[in-house]
Amino acid sequence: MTARLLDGQKLSVQLQAEIRPAVAAFTARVGQPPGLAIVLVGNDPASEVYVRNKVRSGQDVGFRVDLERLPATVTLTEVLDTVARLNADDRYDGILVQSPLPAALGRGAEQRVFDAIAVGKDVDGFSPESVGLLVQNRAAIAAGTPSGVIELLEREGIPIAGRHAVVIGRSDIVGKPMALLLLHRHATVTICHSKSVDLPALCRQADILVAAVGRAGLVTPDFVKPGATVIDVGINRVTDRAEAERVLGTGHPRFKVFEEKGSVLVGDVHPSVAEVAGALTPVPGGVGPLTIAMLMRNTLAAAGARHPA
Ligand code: NDP
């Protein structure tokens, strides 16, 4: 079997096209476009890329997008003051603080910053109140990455209700909200993590297997029930040649990327899984672009809730 590729890039373009007319209608009605404030602390190279894409996508659908850059030397109080100022600023319907924050801000800094974002403007869905609403299946907004996965499954006609979904990873931003969103759509859900015993056997039970681990090529064909849908959330930068060979093999087209650049982005799922799975998301071009499209949708939803018709 060769898995059907689930094209997240194509769906993200479609989602943005669907959002654009609603943004135009909002802007005409309210007199200002939906506003998104993005806070970037420091200059982590991966964050720079993510933020650039978010700014571009937001502007592309017609939002006002403002980037607040803070130096890596900023104090936690200054970050919290920035969030408080954005909370009070009526031009912004959504606030996003790019993760990770510099380690120098201290342990727990990220949580304190997420906690400070007004729930109505929490377009990432990371605040405790947003998470609580998600647990109770009352959330208007949920984290972008797992929401994007659900959107992809539904639009691709992959049934969720009654199916066994296995999620590898229990982070607050991906694994846990992913499991909840699947549960609310009536999947039977197993959550695995680094202490799970016999991970391949647990994963082989899955009709839908979601890998959100951050380990290049961890999921190999022995993790996958033939015909299962496999969603690869992982984004891992491989810089070691032996690792690139293990994950991609020298014949893989993306191995050429490694040879040219000295690094390559790969998922948590080994490419050989395509021989066993029924459907599979590629990396890149799978879940990544959907995360941004769902952020746009969340911002529009937050704007609509703040300015009801
Ligand atoms: P975290 O590091 O926060 O969480 C990783 C999870 O994987 C943890 O629950 C950890 O278990 C578990 N884990 C680690 N090693 C193993 C193992 N060997 N076996 C089983 N479970 C393991 O990562 P994130 O959730 O933030 O991100 C996961 C991946 O998704 C990363 O590659 C990240 O880059 C990517 N990502 C992609 C996005 C996108 O837009 N496509 C958005 C966000 C993330 P434990 O809890 O026991 O430590």
Side-chain angles (χ1 to χ4, degrees):
M1 176 181 289
T2 300
R4 175 162 67 102
L5 276 191
L6 304 175
D7 189 341
Q9 181 62 43
K10 192 168 137 205
L11 177 55
S12 81
V13 171
Q14 190 183 329
L15 289 170
Q16 304 232 24
E18 290 171 12
I19 293 168
R20 227 170 268 128
V23 173
F26 176 94
T27 307
R29 178 171 67 78
V30 177
Q32 67 181 35
L36 175 63
I38 301 179
V39 181
L40 176 60
V41 186
N43 36 28
D44 173 71
S47 294
E48 293 274 358
V49 175
Y50 293 139
V51 164
R52 196 163 56 233
N53 289 337
K54 288 171 188 179
V55 171
R56 194 185 301 144
S57 297
Q59 289 172 341
D60 186 53
V61 295
F63 293 165
R64 174 198 181 108
V65 187
D66 289 321
L67 176 58
E68 294 265 346
R69 279 181 172 274
L70 298 172
T73 50
V74 76
T75 64
L76 179 56
T77 308
E78 286 169 311
V79 181
L80 292 170
D81 286 348
T82 301
V83 170
R85 176 169 52 77
L86 297 171
N87 280 341
D89 191 329
D90 192 47
R91 291 172 301 175
Y92 301 119
D93 302 290
I95 302 169
L96 177 162
V97 178
Q98 184 62 41
S99 164
L101 291 176
L105 285 173
R107 272 170 66 94
E110 208 156 88
Q111 196 61 62
R112 284 194 57 195
V113 172
F114 293 152
D115 287 1
I117 298 174
V119 65
K121 297 189 176 189
D122 175 27
V123 286
D124 261 339
F126 295 162
S127 78
E129 197 173 333
S130 303
V131 174
L133 291 169
L134 177 62
V135 170
Q136 296 184 343
N137 199 13
R138 297 195 288 140
I141 282 174
T145 301
S147 299
V149 171
I150 295 290
E151 195 70 27
L152 185 65
L153 292 172
E154 291 183 340
R155 300 244 185 167
E156 291 283 348
I158 294 165
I160 301 174
R163 302 302 158 111
H164 192 161
V166 176
V167 179
I168 324 176
R170 56 175 165 181
S171 72
D172 289 339
I173 64 167
V174 190
K176 280 182 209 156
M178 184 76 256
L180 286 163
L181 289 172
L182 288 161
L183 181 66
H184 296 330
R185 282 159 186 77
H186 313 296
T188 300
V189 182
T190 301
I191 307 176
C192 301
H193 45 77
S194 67
K195 307 290 185 292
S196 296
V197 174
D198 200 350
L199 189 63
L202 290 166
C203 294
R204 271 198 306 276
Q205 298 175 17
D207 301 303
I208 299 169
L209 177 61
V210 182
V213 190
R215 299 276 181 278
L218 173 87
V219 174
T220 43
D222 55 317
F223 284 55
V224 179
K225 176 161 78 176
T229 297
V230 180
I231 304 291
D232 191 354
V233 178
I235 301 178
N236 309 293
R237 181 174 298 280
V238 171
T239 53
D240 176 67
R241 188 181 176 89
E243 175 83 337
E245 275 185 31
R246 178 186 70 79
V247 178
L248 292 170
T250 51
H252 195 283
R254 292 197 47 79
F255 192 76
K256 284 203 188 71
V257 175
F258 176 81
E259 290 196 307
E260 281 163 24
K261 295 187 173 174
S263 72
V264 63
L265 289 183
V266 300
D268 290 341
V269 177
H270 196 278
S272 55
V273 163
E275 303 306 316
V276 187
L280 176 64
T281 58
V283 176
V287 175
L290 292 173
T291 301
I292 295 185
M294 297 315 284
L295 170 68
M296 300 304 134
R297 191 197 266 189
N298 282 352
T299 304
L300 179 62
R306 292 185 66 243
H307 299 276

